[in-house]
Amino acid sequence: MNNHAAPAGGDNRDYLDKALDSVQKKIPGKAGDRFRDPNSAQKNRAMNEKITDFMRKQFQKMTGYVSAPTGYSHAWDC
């Protein structure tokens, strides 16, 4: 069970999710248009959540580290 509180402001994205969003928005040209389109924001967020969850699970598998400070992950213990 996840006991970490959501970051302030009602935004339940953690730092890793926000970092991925930021990098995607900086992709130039047509490739980056998909990430800047407000109509596909929810779809992108769902895809990013899957990507960052996979990254966390691989990190946990490799290091054995299964806990994170508040704000670093809202779903770290999944």
Side-chain angles (χ1 to χ4, degrees):
M1 183 172 170
N2 184 2
N3 293 328
H4 299 298
D11 187 3
N12 70 351
R13 296 179 302 150
D14 58 28
Y15 294 138
L16 186 56
D17 294 329
K18 290 178 182 180
L20 183 57
D21 285 346
S22 176
V23 168
Q24 289 174 334
K25 288 178 182 175
K26 294 179 182 179
I27 296 173
K30 284 192 159 213
D33 288 346
R34 172 175 175 238
F35 301 111
R36 289 185 289 274
D37 180 13
N39 296 325
S40 63
Q42 191 62 32
K43 182 174 151 184
N44 290 337
R45 194 166 288 151
M47 178 186 62
N48 288 355
E49 190 63 33
K50 290 179 184 179
I51 292 169
T52 56
D53 285 348
F54 174 79
M55 292 168 64
R56 281 185 206 92
K57 287 177 185 178
Q58 293 304 308
F59 177 80
Q60 289 174 357
K61 184 189 282 187
M62 290 172 37
T63 65
Y65 189 73
V66 294
S67 183
T70 301
Y72 284 96
S73 175
H74 64 280
W76 193 269
D77 298 322
C78 55

